Amino acid sequence: MNQSTSAFSTIPLFCLLFLVTFGNSQLDYRFYDSACPNLSKIVRYGVWSAIANETRLAASILRLHFHDCFVNGCEGSILLDDSSNFKGEKNANPNRNSARGFEVIDAIKENVEKACPSTVSCTDILTLAARDAVFLSGGPFWPVSLGRRDGLTANETAANTDLPSPFEPLENITAKFISKGLDAKDMVVLSGGHTIGFAQCFTFKRRLFNFDGAGNPDPTLDASLLGSLRSICPNQDDSDTNLAPLDAATTTKFDNSYFKILVNSSGLLQSDQALMGDNKTAALVFGYSKFPFLFTKDFASSMVKMSNIGILTGQNGQIRKNCRVVN
Ligand code: HEM
Ligand SMILES: *[C@@H]1O[C@H](CO)[C@@H](O)[C@H](O)[C@H]1NC(C)=O
Ligand SMILES: *[C@@H]1O[C@H](CO)[C@@H](O)[C@H](O)[C@H]1NC(C)=O
Ligand SMILES: *[C@@H]1O[C@H](CO)[C@@H](O)[C@H](O)[C@H]1NC(C)=O
Ligand SMILES: *[C@@H]1O[C@H](CO)[C@@H](O)[C@H](O)[C@H]1NC(C)=O
Ligand SMILES: *[C@@H]1O[C@H](CO)[C@@H](O)[C@H](O)[C@H]1NC(C)=O
Ligand SMILES: *[C@@H]1O[C@H](CO)[C@@H](O)[C@H](O)[C@H]1NC(C)=O
């Protein structure tokens, strides 16, 4: 009797330890509970109203968070405009005429400042907004631990070198994830973010017309998808900014369809379809294509890992008043 009671009393402790190792000890789920009790509602409403007007903004916000975290860590540097002290990241190759959703974060920040001035970082707002964007698109929910502070600078060069490009080989992309403390599995499951949103024709056009330099398309691209992509992206420069869905089957729904699409050779970017060209990553793709629950569970835990890259806490950094400029 005594023995079983003590066995039970160890369960909560065990769960607590699990939470601590799973999260980040410098952050706290209740960080703003007393200083900004309505924070999560304000963020949720801001994301909800943006998506209600334009569905694609869910994808755009998720990508902003990824592009923030991969460049000097999650510290809101992507949100900064160019200044006299530095060139911002908004004009770096992966972001120029591509990163979007800044107005959504500005509008949320304005409402947060009204409720609790100079209290909540832009970085925490973006982290929460990315989680809400996934959840409101039908994806998983996960608790976000808070207390990240905003960085004092931005680095255009780092945005050019550290963010993955759709034109580079899988090994290079994997190396970029590993250099951020993530692994190949995080890379595969987080690529599932491409279950929502769009890409411009220039990011995959080479696959349609002249993949091999002899006028042939990419042999790993499904023939009927090839036809429809050629009509969206005719072989002329003025089609470069036309948009095609990353997941043509269920473009606005956050589900595991991205992985099903890779299995049947219908990935949009060369870097997407490349996940099927390696036995280890292909095994993960197959798993996520068959087991939606496995995808949502692993996606949530890799998002938590990503949102803890290179964070500033305590006295480091600052709480920006305006996400576009350092105080
Ligand atoms: C693995 C390496 C990755 C590469 C090479 C890559 C590349 C790209 C490219 C080229 C686009 C289209 C941009 C444009 O045409 O303007 C895009 C869009 C997008 N990416 Fe990625 N990406 C990667 C990983 C990720 C990750 C980890 C996430 C989030 C977890 C993500 C989320 C998105 C979303 C949601 C969009 C659509 C954005 C919109 O419609 O506004 N991507 N990505
Ligand atoms: C939180 O929002 C509610 C309405 O949704 C409002 O009545 C309350 O005053 C707000 N609390 C704070 C601290 O801003
Ligand atoms: C709704 O979205 C359109 C573009 O799709 C934009 O021009 C307009 O300002 C947005 N309205 C609101 C209220 O956000
Ligand atoms: C910006 O990033 C590049 C590439 O990571 C690095 O070499 C450089 O030192 C950084 N610049 C500053 C001012 O931190
Ligand atoms: C891939 O990485 C290797 C080694 O860092 C580099 O030499 C090569 O240029 C990269 N390839 C592309 C297409 O970026
Ligand atoms: C590939 O899979 C998607 C999602 O299941 C489906 O919509 C699409 O029609 C499939 N394409 C082919 C060529 O089987
Ligand atoms: C990958 O799988 C294929 C077929 O399943 C096999 O022929 C090949 O040897 C495998 N490659 C590696 C590097 O394991």
Coordinates of all heavy atoms in Angstrom, one line a residue, residues 1-63:
M1 N 0.8 -1.2 0.0 CA 0.0 0.0 0.0 C 0.9 1.3 0.0 O 0.8 2.1 -0.9 CB -0.9 0.0 1.2 CG -2.1 0.9 1.2 SD -3.2 0.5 -0.2 CE -4.3 1.9 -0.2
N2 N 1.8 1.3 1.0 CA 2.7 2.4 1.1 C 3.5 2.6 -0.2 O 3.7 3.7 -0.7 CB 3.7 2.2 2.3 CG 3.8 3.4 3.1 OD1 3.4 4.5 2.7 ND2 4.3 3.2 4.3
Q3 N 4.0 1.5 -0.7 CA 4.8 1.5 -1.9 C 4.1 2.1 -3.1 O 4.6 2.9 -3.8 CB 5.2 0.0 -2.2 CG 6.7 0.0 -2.5 CD 7.2 -1.5 -2.6 OE1 6.4 -2.4 -2.4 NE2 8.4 -1.7 -3.0
S4 N 2.8 1.6 -3.2 CA 2.1 2.1 -4.4 C 1.8 3.6 -4.3 O 1.7 4.3 -5.3 CB 0.8 1.3 -4.7 OG -0.1 1.6 -3.6
T5 N 1.5 4.1 -3.0 CA 1.3 5.5 -2.8 C 2.5 6.3 -3.3 O 2.4 7.3 -4.0 CB 1.0 5.9 -1.4 OG1 0.1 4.9 -0.9 CG2 0.4 7.2 -1.2
S6 N 3.7 5.9 -2.9 CA 4.9 6.6 -3.2 C 5.2 6.5 -4.7 O 5.7 7.5 -5.3 CB 6.1 6.2 -2.4 OG 6.6 4.9 -2.9
A7 N 4.7 5.4 -5.3 CA 4.9 5.3 -6.8 C 4.0 6.3 -7.5 O 4.5 7.0 -8.4 CB 4.5 3.9 -7.2
F8 N 2.8 6.5 -7.0 CA 1.9 7.5 -7.6 C 2.5 8.9 -7.4 O 2.4 9.8 -8.3 CB 0.5 7.4 -7.0 CG -0.3 6.4 -7.7 CD1 -0.7 5.2 -7.1 CD2 -0.7 6.6 -9.0 CE1 -1.4 4.3 -7.8 CE2 -1.5 5.7 -9.7 CZ -1.8 4.5 -9.1
S9 N 3.0 9.2 -6.2 CA 3.4 10.6 -5.9 C 4.6 11.0 -6.8 O 4.9 12.1 -6.9 CB 3.8 10.7 -4.4 OG 4.9 10.0 -4.1
T10 N 5.3 10.0 -7.4 CA 6.4 10.4 -8.3 C 5.9 10.8 -9.6 O 6.7 11.4 -10.4 CB 7.4 9.2 -8.4 OG1 6.8 8.2 -9.1 CG2 8.1 8.8 -7.1
I11 N 4.7 10.5 -10.0 CA 4.2 10.8 -11.3 C 4.2 12.3 -11.7 O 4.8 12.7 -12.7 CB 2.8 10.2 -11.6 CG1 3.0 8.6 -11.7 CG2 2.2 10.7 -12.9 CD1 1.7 7.9 -11.7
P12 N 3.7 13.2 -10.7 CA 3.7 14.6 -11.1 C 5.1 15.1 -11.2 O 5.4 15.9 -12.1 CB 3.0 15.3 -9.9 CG 2.2 14.2 -9.3 CD 2.9 12.9 -9.5
L13 N 6.0 14.7 -10.4 CA 7.4 15.2 -10.5 C 8.0 14.8 -11.8 O 8.7 15.6 -12.5 CB 8.2 14.5 -9.3 CG 9.7 14.9 -9.3 CD1 9.8 16.4 -9.1 CD2 10.5 14.2 -8.2
F14 N 7.7 13.6 -12.2 CA 8.2 13.1 -13.5 C 7.7 14.0 -14.6 O 8.5 14.4 -15.5 CB 7.8 11.6 -13.7 CG 8.3 11.1 -15.0 CD1 9.6 10.6 -15.1 CD2 7.4 11.0 -16.1 CE1 10.0 10.1 -16.3 CE2 7.8 10.4 -17.3 CZ 9.2 10.0 -17.4
C15 N 6.4 14.3 -14.6 CA 5.8 15.1 -15.7 C 6.5 16.5 -15.7 O 6.7 17.1 -16.7 CB 4.3 15.3 -15.5 SG 3.4 13.7 -15.7
L16 N 6.7 17.0 -14.5 CA 7.3 18.4 -14.4 C 8.7 18.4 -15.0 O 9.1 19.3 -15.8 CB 7.4 18.7 -12.9 CG 7.6 20.2 -12.5 CD1 6.3 20.9 -13.0 CD2 7.8 20.4 -11.0
L17 N 9.5 17.3 -14.7 CA 10.8 17.2 -15.3 C 10.7 17.2 -16.8 O 11.5 17.8 -17.5 CB 11.5 16.0 -14.8 CG 12.0 16.1 -13.3 CD1 12.5 14.7 -12.8 CD2 13.1 17.1 -13.1
F18 N 9.7 16.5 -17.3 CA 9.6 16.4 -18.7 C 9.3 17.7 -19.3 O 9.9 18.1 -20.3 CB 8.4 15.4 -19.0 CG 8.1 15.3 -20.5 CD1 8.9 14.6 -21.3 CD2 7.0 16.0 -21.0 CE1 8.6 14.6 -22.7 CE2 6.6 15.9 -22.3 CZ 7.5 15.2 -23.2
L19 N 8.4 18.5 -18.7 CA 8.1 19.8 -19.2 C 9.3 20.7 -19.2 O 9.6 21.4 -20.2 CB 7.0 20.5 -18.3 CG 5.6 20.4 -18.7 CD1 4.7 21.1 -17.7 CD2 5.4 20.9 -20.1
V20 N 10.1 20.7 -18.2 CA 11.3 21.5 -18.1 C 12.3 21.2 -19.2 O 12.8 22.1 -19.8 CB 12.0 21.4 -16.7 CG1 13.3 22.1 -16.7 CG2 11.0 22.0 -15.6
T21 N 12.5 19.9 -19.4 CA 13.5 19.5 -20.5 C 12.9 19.8 -21.8 O 13.6 20.1 -22.8 CB 13.9 18.1 -20.4 OG1 12.8 17.3 -20.3 CG2 14.8 17.8 -19.2
F22 N 11.6 19.7 -22.0 CA 11.0 19.9 -23.3 C 11.0 21.4 -23.6 O 11.2 21.8 -24.7 CB 9.5 19.4 -23.2 CG 8.8 19.4 -24.4 CD1 9.1 18.5 -25.4 CD2 7.8 20.3 -24.7 CE1 8.4 18.5 -26.6 CE2 7.0 20.3 -25.8 CZ 7.4 19.4 -26.8
G23 N 10.7 22.3 -22.6 CA 10.7 23.7 -22.8 C 12.1 24.3 -22.7 O 13.1 23.7 -22.9
N24 N 12.1 25.6 -22.3 CA 13.3 26.3 -22.1 C 13.3 26.9 -20.7 O 12.4 27.6 -20.4 CB 13.5 27.3 -23.2 CG 14.8 28.1 -23.1 OD1 15.1 28.7 -22.1 ND2 15.6 28.0 -24.1
S25 N 14.4 26.6 -19.9 CA 14.3 27.0 -18.5 C 14.3 28.5 -18.3 O 13.9 29.0 -17.3 CB 15.5 26.4 -17.8 OG 16.7 26.8 -18.4
Q26 N 14.8 29.3 -19.4 CA 14.8 30.7 -19.2 C 13.4 31.3 -19.5 O 13.2 32.5 -19.2 CB 15.8 31.4 -20.2 CG 17.2 30.9 -19.9 CD 18.0 31.2 -21.2 OE1 17.8 30.6 -22.2 NE2 18.9 32.1 -21.1
L27 N 12.5 30.5 -20.1 CA 11.2 31.0 -20.5 C 10.1 30.5 -19.5 O 10.4 29.5 -18.8 CB 10.9 30.6 -21.9 CG 11.9 31.2 -23.0 CD1 11.5 30.6 -24.4 CD2 11.9 32.7 -23.0
D28 N 8.9 31.0 -19.6 CA 7.9 30.6 -18.7 C 6.5 30.8 -19.4 O 6.3 31.8 -20.0 CB 8.0 31.6 -17.5 CG 7.0 31.2 -16.4 OD1 6.1 30.5 -16.6 OD2 7.2 31.7 -15.2
Y29 N 5.7 29.7 -19.2 CA 4.4 29.8 -19.9 C 3.6 30.9 -19.3 O 2.7 31.5 -19.9 CB 3.6 28.5 -19.7 CG 4.3 27.3 -20.4 CD1 5.0 26.3 -19.6 CD2 4.3 27.2 -21.7 CE1 5.6 25.3 -20.3 CE2 4.9 26.2 -22.4 CZ 5.6 25.2 -21.6 OH 6.2 24.2 -22.3
R30 N 3.8 31.3 -18.0 CA 3.0 32.4 -17.4 C 3.8 33.7 -17.3 O 3.4 34.6 -16.5 CB 2.7 31.9 -16.0 CG 2.0 30.6 -15.9 CD 1.6 30.2 -14.5 NE 0.9 28.9 -14.5 CZ -0.3 28.7 -14.9 NH1 -1.0 29.7 -15.4 NH2 -0.8 27.5 -14.9
F31 N 4.7 33.9 -18.2 CA 5.6 35.1 -18.1 C 4.8 36.4 -18.0 O 5.2 37.3 -17.3 CB 6.6 35.1 -19.3 CG 7.7 36.1 -19.1 CD1 8.8 35.8 -18.4 CD2 7.6 37.4 -19.7 CE1 9.9 36.7 -18.3 CE2 8.6 38.3 -19.6 CZ 9.8 37.9 -18.9
Y32 N 3.8 36.5 -18.8 CA 3.0 37.8 -18.9 C 1.7 37.7 -18.2 O 0.9 38.6 -18.3 CB 2.8 38.2 -20.3 CG 4.0 38.4 -21.2 CD1 4.3 37.5 -22.2 CD2 4.8 39.5 -21.0 CE1 5.5 37.7 -23.0 CE2 6.0 39.7 -21.8 CZ 6.3 38.8 -22.8 OH 7.4 39.0 -23.6
D33 N 1.4 36.6 -17.4 CA 0.1 36.4 -16.8 C -0.3 37.6 -16.0 O -1.5 38.0 -16.1 CB 0.1 35.1 -15.9 CG -0.2 33.9 -16.7 OD1 -0.2 34.0 -18.0 OD2 -0.4 32.8 -16.1
S34 N 0.5 38.2 -15.2 CA 0.1 39.3 -14.4 C 0.3 40.7 -15.1 O -0.5 41.6 -15.0 CB 0.7 39.3 -13.0 OG 2.1 39.4 -13.2
A35 N 1.3 40.8 -15.9 CA 1.6 42.1 -16.6 C 0.8 42.3 -17.8 O 0.6 43.4 -18.2 CB 3.1 42.2 -16.9
C36 N 0.3 41.2 -18.4 CA -0.5 41.4 -19.7 C -1.4 40.2 -19.8 O -1.3 39.3 -20.7 CB 0.4 41.5 -20.9 SG -0.4 42.2 -22.3
P37 N -2.4 40.1 -18.9 CA -3.3 38.9 -18.9 C -4.1 38.6 -20.2 O -4.4 37.5 -20.5 CB -4.2 39.2 -17.7 CG -4.2 40.7 -17.5 CD -2.8 41.1 -17.9
N38 N -4.3 39.7 -21.0 CA -5.1 39.5 -22.2 C -4.2 39.2 -23.4 O -4.8 39.1 -24.5 CB -6.0 40.7 -22.5 CG -7.2 40.7 -21.6 OD1 -7.5 39.7 -20.9 ND2 -7.9 41.8 -21.6
L39 N -2.9 39.0 -23.2 CA -2.0 38.9 -24.4 C -2.5 37.8 -25.4 O -2.6 38.1 -26.6 CB -0.6 38.6 -23.9 CG 0.4 38.3 -25.0 CD1 0.6 39.4 -25.9 CD2 1.7 37.8 -24.4
S40 N -2.7 36.6 -24.9 CA -3.0 35.6 -25.9 C -4.3 35.8 -26.6 O -4.4 35.5 -27.8 CB -3.0 34.2 -25.2 OG -4.0 34.2 -24.2
K41 N -5.3 36.5 -26.0 CA -6.5 36.8 -26.7 C -6.3 37.9 -27.8 O -6.9 37.8 -28.8 CB -7.6 37.4 -25.7 CG -8.3 36.3 -24.9 CD -9.4 37.0 -24.1 CE -9.7 36.2 -22.9 NZ -10.3 36.9 -21.8
I42 N -5.5 38.9 -27.4 CA -5.2 39.9 -28.4 C -4.5 39.4 -29.6 O -4.8 39.7 -30.7 CB -4.3 41.1 -27.7 CG1 -5.1 41.7 -26.5 CG2 -4.0 42.1 -28.7 CD1 -4.3 42.6 -25.7
V43 N -3.5 38.5 -29.4 CA -2.8 37.9 -30.5 C -3.7 37.0 -31.3 O -3.8 37.1 -32.6 CB -1.6 37.1 -30.0 CG1 -0.9 36.4 -31.2 CG2 -0.6 38.0 -29.3
R44 N -4.5 36.2 -30.6 CA -5.4 35.3 -31.3 C -6.4 36.1 -32.2 O -6.6 35.8 -33.4 CB -6.2 34.5 -30.3 CG -7.2 33.5 -30.9 CD -6.6 32.3 -31.6 NE -5.6 31.7 -30.7 CZ -5.8 30.8 -29.7 NH1 -7.0 30.4 -29.6 NH2 -4.9 30.4 -29.0
Y45 N -6.9 37.2 -31.7 CA -7.9 38.0 -32.4 C -7.2 38.6 -33.6 O -7.7 38.7 -34.7 CB -8.5 39.1 -31.5 CG -9.3 40.0 -32.4 CD1 -10.6 39.7 -32.8 CD2 -8.8 41.3 -32.7 CE1 -11.3 40.5 -33.7 CE2 -9.6 42.2 -33.5 CZ -10.8 41.7 -34.0 OH -11.5 42.6 -34.8
G46 N -6.0 39.1 -33.5 CA -5.2 39.8 -34.6 C -5.0 38.8 -35.7 O -5.1 39.1 -36.9
V47 N -4.6 37.6 -35.4 CA -4.3 36.6 -36.4 C -5.6 36.1 -37.0 O -5.7 36.0 -38.3 CB -3.5 35.4 -35.8 CG1 -3.3 34.3 -36.8 CG2 -2.2 35.8 -35.2
W48 N -6.6 35.9 -36.2 CA -7.9 35.5 -36.7 C -8.5 36.5 -37.7 O -8.9 36.2 -38.8 CB -8.9 35.3 -35.6 CG -10.3 34.9 -36.0 CD1 -10.8 33.7 -36.4 CD2 -11.3 35.9 -36.3 NE1 -12.0 33.8 -36.8 CE2 -12.4 35.1 -36.8 CE3 -11.5 37.3 -36.1 CZ2 -13.7 35.7 -37.1 CZ3 -12.7 37.9 -36.4 CH2 -13.8 37.1 -36.9
S49 N -8.4 37.8 -37.4 CA -9.0 38.8 -38.3 C -8.2 39.0 -39.5 O -8.8 39.2 -40.6 CB -9.3 40.1 -37.6 OG -8.1 40.6 -37.0
A50 N -6.9 38.8 -39.4 CA -6.1 38.9 -40.7 C -6.4 37.7 -41.6 O -6.6 37.9 -42.8 CB -4.6 38.8 -40.3
I51 N -6.5 36.5 -41.1 CA -6.8 35.3 -41.9 C -8.2 35.4 -42.5 O -8.5 35.0 -43.6 CB -6.6 34.1 -41.1 CG1 -5.2 33.9 -40.6 CG2 -7.0 32.8 -41.9 CD1 -5.0 32.7 -39.6
A52 N -9.1 36.0 -41.6 CA -10.5 36.1 -42.1 C -10.6 36.9 -43.4 O -11.4 36.7 -44.3 CB -11.4 36.7 -41.0
N53 N -9.7 37.9 -43.4 CA -9.7 38.8 -44.6 C -8.8 38.2 -45.7 O -9.2 38.3 -46.9 CB -9.1 40.2 -44.2 CG -9.1 41.2 -45.4 OD1 -10.0 41.2 -46.2 ND2 -8.0 42.0 -45.4
E54 N -7.7 37.6 -45.4 CA -6.9 37.0 -46.4 C -6.2 35.7 -45.9 O -5.3 35.7 -45.1 CB -5.8 38.0 -46.8 CG -5.0 37.5 -48.0 CD -3.6 38.2 -48.2 OE1 -3.5 39.3 -47.7 OE2 -2.8 37.6 -48.8
T55 N -6.7 34.5 -46.3 CA -6.3 33.2 -45.8 C -4.8 33.1 -45.8 O -4.2 32.5 -44.9 CB -7.0 32.1 -46.6 OG1 -8.3 32.5 -46.8 CG2 -6.9 30.8 -45.8
R56 N -4.2 33.5 -46.9 CA -2.7 33.3 -47.1 C -1.9 33.8 -45.9 O -0.8 33.4 -45.7 CB -2.3 33.9 -48.4 CG -0.8 33.5 -48.7 CD -0.3 34.3 -49.9 NE 1.1 34.0 -50.1 CZ 1.9 34.7 -50.9 NH1 1.4 35.7 -51.7 NH2 3.2 34.5 -51.0
L57 N -2.4 34.8 -45.2 CA -1.6 35.4 -44.2 C -1.2 34.4 -43.1 O -0.2 34.6 -42.4 CB -2.3 36.7 -43.6 CG -2.2 37.9 -44.5 CD1 -3.2 39.0 -44.0 CD2 -0.8 38.5 -44.5
A58 N -1.9 33.4 -42.9 CA -1.5 32.3 -41.9 C -0.1 31.8 -42.3 O 0.8 31.7 -41.5 CB -2.5 31.2 -41.9
A59 N 0.0 31.5 -43.6 CA 1.3 31.0 -44.1 C 2.3 32.0 -44.0 O 3.5 31.7 -43.6 CB 1.1 30.5 -45.6
S60 N 2.0 33.2 -44.4 CA 3.0 34.3 -44.3 C 3.6 34.5 -42.9 O 4.8 34.7 -42.7 CB 2.4 35.6 -44.9 OG 1.8 35.3 -46.2
I61 N 2.7 34.4 -41.9 CA 3.1 34.7 -40.5 C 4.0 33.5 -40.1 O 5.0 33.7 -39.4 CB 1.9 34.9 -39.6 CG1 1.2 36.2 -40.0 CG2 2.3 34.8 -38.2 CD1 -0.2 36.3 -39.4
L62 N 3.6 32.3 -40.4 CA 4.4 31.1 -40.0 C 5.8 31.3 -40.6 O 6.8 31.0 -39.9 CB 3.8 29.8 -40.5 CG 4.6 28.5 -40.4 CD1 4.9 28.3 -38.9 CD2 3.8 27.3 -41.0
R63 N 5.9 31.7 -41.9 CA 7.2 31.8 -42.5 C 8.0 32.9 -41.9 O 9.3 32.8 -41.7 CB 7.0 32.0 -44.0 CG 8.3 32.1 -44.8 CD 8.1 31.9 -46.3 NE 9.3 31.9 -47.1 CZ 9.7 32.8 -47.9 NH1 9.0 33.9 -48.1 NH2 10.9 32.6 -48.6

